[in-house]
Amino acid sequence: MSKRTDILKRANECICGDREQDYGNPERNFELIASLWSTYTGSDISAVDVAMMMVMLKAARIKSGRLHEDNFIDGAGYFACAGEIASKEGA
């Protein structure tokens, strides 16, 4: 199995497994976060924005120079959640 396949497999396990059981449906969770962040910042933030900002958080952690594979796994998971949320919003 290639490293990229492993990362995507592990991201899938995270977003469709334990984390969903622990934190609930990602879309609803990101909508709640968006509501809280919107109130805090005074700006309109969407659930897709939340997922993309989490991707950027993971990119910043990767940029710090310390290699932690979970940042790549989490980033892939956040991208997948953003794509799913965006496709539902466009439907």
Side-chain angles (χ1 to χ4, degrees):
M1 175 184 320
S2 71
K3 179 51 81 177
R4 67 179 166 259
T5 301
D6 180 53
I7 289 171
L8 291 170
K9 179 179 175 282
R10 291 176 60 194
N12 183 61
E13 290 167 356
C14 288
I15 62 174
C16 296
D18 292 344
R19 289 191 191 166
E20 186 162 355
Q21 291 172 12
D22 292 341
Y23 302 113
N25 177 282
E27 292 85 1
R28 279 186 250 132
N29 185 255
F30 289 177
E31 287 168 5
L32 173 60
I33 295 167
S35 175
L36 293 168
W37 287 2
S38 293
T39 300
Y40 184 82
T41 64
S43 300
D44 246 358
I45 296 174
S46 72
V48 172
D49 292 330
V50 169
M52 295 309 301
M53 285 189 270
M54 294 305 293
V55 167
M56 289 184 270
L57 172 101
K58 293 300 178 173
R61 288 186 177 169
I62 291 165
K63 182 73 175 153
S64 75
R66 300 192 73 200
L67 178 63
H68 292 284
E69 190 172 272
D70 67 303
N71 289 316
F72 294 98
I73 294 164
D74 291 346
Y78 286 125
F79 263 123
C81 288
E84 183 171 2
I85 294 166
S87 71
K88 289 179 181 175
E89 288 178 356

